Amino acid sequence: MKSSKQEVVRVHKDGHVERPRPEVLTPLSTDPITGVSSKDVVVVPELNIIARLFLPKLTDPNKNLAVLVFFHGGGFVINTPFTTTYHNLVTKLVSEANVVAVSVDYRKAPEHPIPAAYEDSIAALKWVASHSNGDGPEPWLNNHADFQRVFLGGSNSGANIAHNLAMAAGNPEPGLSIGLLGIALVHPYFWGSVPVESEAVYPDEKATIDRGFVDEIWPFICPSNPDNDDPRVNPMAEAAPSLAGLGCKRVLVCVAENDVMKDRGRLYSEALRRSGWMGVVEIFETLGEGHGFYSRDLESEKSEELIQRLVAFYKDK
């Protein structure tokens, strides 16, 4: 199903915001198949920002687990950690990679335009970091988290957030005292005003989202700076800070063959290699699939391949 902005979010003349597509939510539970438990925690009380925490079935209660801070996709306008697709995706990652996860419910545009999503996400990451000495407010993190192995992960807009938070982690100014081992970006939302590689000629009949749709999103969610070369959405723009400052040691970029944004992901990985950044970047491409294909069927062969690549990344020390 191809997306248009009107199909995803509509702003009526009276200011009312409508999201036409029904959202399927999953309540808190202990997953009967994997044994993964979940609970919701308020991480920024003054803004009522919530995160859904996930804990795998513990075979050794004394063993500390890597931490995954996850940011869902949806173009900054739809979805939550409670959306069934993302609840189930994080559950699978937690079970198979044996990590403890924090999935952040950042505020969405247009009611809360950019930079709200970034502000909420960095506040949530600071909340996670507050547990690094074992005396934070959340027992799951105090008792089971290994803060030498902290990962950021996300899809689409969530991958964009993960990149921008890793840039913040490499800059001492925000006061973000957390070391990141790696970031995994799935179909990252990076864009620009000038087409690159195949973007200008990409056949729309293959795409889940076309160039026109992507062109519209950033100006819609960020009216204060509607330029698609804003460094937050185009980290390769001339005015963007050097990627050499990325504050992690490893990066995995996952792209899909039929995604109009695939070349931005490739260029990002190439720019990282050229930047002087001292880490290791890998790219993983799913052939024959489009943007966010896994959201339609997490059990498909291609989805399983993607999930296993992510699991391997989070398990690798």
Side-chain angles (χ1 to χ4, degrees), residues 131-183:
H131 297 79
S132 59
N133 293 324
D135 56 359
E138 173 46 52
W140 283 5
L141 294 177
N142 288 335
N143 298 334
H144 303 295
D146 179 354
F147 282 91
Q148 301 303 308
R149 294 186 294 148
V150 178
F151 295 91
L152 304 183
S155 172
N156 180 264
S157 54
N160 176 291
I161 290 172
H163 158 75
N164 280 285
L165 263 59
M167 291 297 291
N171 179 350
E173 293 182 8
L176 182 60
S177 57
I178 190 168
L180 299 177
L181 181 54
I183 62 174

Side-chain angles (χ1 to χ4, degrees), residues 167 170 241-248 271-272 274-279:
M167 291 297 291
S242 172
L243 292 174
L246 194 72
C248 63
L272 263 181
R274 296 193 306 266
S275 70
W277 175 66
M278 300 303 291

Side-chain angles (χ1 to χ4, degrees), residues 19 76-77 106-120 217-225 232:
R19 290 169 172 84
F76 291 98
V77 297
Y106 54 88
R107 288 172 293 169
K108 261 70 72 181
E111 297 94 332
H112 304 284
I114 297 295
Y118 298 124
E119 293 170 346
D120 296 350
I217 291 299
W218 186 261
F220 177 70
I221 64 173
C222 187
S224 63
N225 187 18
R232 292 170 293 188

Side-chain angles (χ1 to χ4, degrees), residues 10-315:
R10 301 171 187 165
V11 181
H12 297 277
K13 290 182 179 179
D14 62 0
H16 170 67
V17 177
E18 178 190 4
R19 290 169 172 84
R21 293 180 180 175
E23 186 177 21
V24 181
L25 304 178
T26 294
L28 295 171
S29 63
T30 297
D31 186 74
I33 298 174
T34 64
V36 172
S37 301
S38 59
K39 65 177 175 180
D40 294 339
V41 177
V42 177
V43 298
V44 187
E46 58 270 26
L47 296 173
N48 195 35
I49 303 304
I50 297 171
R52 177 159 288 187
L53 274 59
F54 296 80
L55 187 70
K57 185 176 181 179
L58 299 174
T59 55
D60 181 358
N62 297 316
K63 179 182 178 181
N64 286 341
L65 309 174
V67 181
L68 168 61
V69 185
F70 186 86
F71 305 95
H72 65 81
F76 291 98
V77 297
I78 59 172
N79 296 326
T80 70
F82 329 119
T83 304
T84 293
T85 292
Y86 288 104
H87 175 93
N88 291 347
L89 173 61
V90 177
T91 296
K92 287 178 73 73
L93 293 174
V94 166
S95 173
E96 300 191 30
N98 201 37
V99 299
V100 56
V102 179
S103 187
V104 180
D105 187 25
Y106 54 88
R107 288 172 293 169
K108 261 70 72 181
E111 297 94 332
H112 304 284
I114 297 295
Y118 298 124
E119 293 170 346
D120 296 350
S121 298
I122 201 165
L125 188 55
K126 288 179 178 179
W127 178 86
V128 171
S130 73
H131 297 79
S132 59
N133 293 324
D135 56 359
E138 173 46 52
W140 283 5
L141 294 177
N142 288 335
N143 298 334
H144 303 295
D146 179 354
F147 282 91
Q148 301 303 308
R149 294 186 294 148
V150 178
F151 295 91
L152 304 183
S155 172
N156 180 264
S157 54
N160 176 291
I161 290 172
H163 158 75
N164 280 285
L165 263 59
M167 291 297 291
N171 179 350
E173 293 182 8
L176 182 60
S177 57
I178 190 168
L180 299 177
L181 181 54
I183 62 174
L185 313 181
V186 178
H187 307 171
Y189 170 34
F190 296 140
W191 203 238
S193 60
V194 179
V196 298
E197 304 288 329
S198 66
E199 285 175 0
V201 296
Y202 195 78
D204 284 350
E205 65 270 13
K206 286 189 176 182
T208 308
I209 53 174
D210 60 32
R211 180 175 176 85
F213 174 77
V214 187
D215 276 340
E216 293 181 315
I217 291 299
W218 186 261
F220 177 70
I221 64 173
C222 187
S224 63
N225 187 18
D227 186 351
N228 272 317
D229 288 323
D230 183 315
R232 292 170 293 188
V233 71
N234 185 0
M236 288 80 74
E238 186 175 343
S242 172
L243 292 174
L246 194 72
C248 63
K249 298 177 181 178
R250 295 166 42 216
V251 174
L252 172 65
V253 181
C254 301
V255 299
E257 181 184 20
N258 295 338
D259 183 1
V260 70
M261 290 189 278
K262 64 182 177 182
D263 289 325
R264 297 282 169 176
R266 291 191 183 116
L267 289 175
Y268 173 80
S269 62
E270 293 166 9
L272 263 181
R273 293 188 182 103
R274 296 193 306 266
S275 70
W277 175 66
M278 300 303 291
V280 176
V281 58
E282 305 167 73
I283 192 159
F284 174 80
E285 181 172 5
T286 302
L287 300 178
E289 297 289 352
H291 186 84
F293 69 89
Y294 58 88
S295 64
R296 297 185 294 276
D297 182 5
L298 275 177
E299 305 301 325
S300 72
E301 181 179 351
K302 295 289 181 68
S303 295
E304 187 61 27
E305 289 174 358
L306 172 62
I307 289 167
Q308 290 308 313
R309 186 64 192 85
L310 293 168
V311 166
F313 182 77
Y314 298 135
K315 278 186 168 182

